[in-house]
Amino acid sequence: MGRLDGKVAFISGAAAGIGQRTAIIFAREGAKVCVADINDQGGAETVGLAKEAAGNADGDAFFAHVDVTEHDSVKAGITEVVNRYGALHILHNNVGGSTAADGPVTEAPDEEFWRCMTVDVFGTF
């Protein structure tokens, strides 16, 4: 019996890095996991790894293409989770990151600031 048996999780930014590891561990611990990301290939990889980690446990995973900068995309992803599993217990707002344009605040272009605000702040909201 896993620590997350019966729980349903939505993990944004789950196609790689911390989000991917979280999805794998959650599934291994019995959670049903929505791997939410804009990276379809990475999302599919994460789903495979999470299902493998779940083994014979009750854990499961599926991918939803979700862009956290688009309200309707997030809403559709959440709706898909609830329709599939009947509930949502855990929301892991993991998405974020930097680009090559990132740098000291005195040097980064305005576009990088707004990209960061849109993904990291609005995306979490």
Side-chain angles (χ1 to χ4, degrees), residues 41-54:
Q41 182 177 353
E45 178 185 333
T46 299
V47 167
L49 293 169
K51 286 185 173 196
E52 181 181 323

Side-chain angles (χ1 to χ4, degrees), residues 9-16 19-20 23 27 32-51 60-68 73-74 76-82 84-85 95:
F10 180 95
I11 305 172
S12 67
Q20 183 180 66
K32 312 287 193 256
V33 179
C34 174
V35 173
D37 207 297
I38 59 171
N39 179 343
D40 297 348
Q41 182 177 353
E45 178 185 333
T46 299
V47 167
L49 293 169
K51 286 185 173 196
D60 190 27
F62 79 97
F63 175 73
H65 184 96
V66 174
D67 181 344
V68 298
S73 180
V74 175
I78 296 293
T79 298
E80 188 173 351
V81 172
V82 174
R84 184 179 290 245
Y85 297 125
V95 73

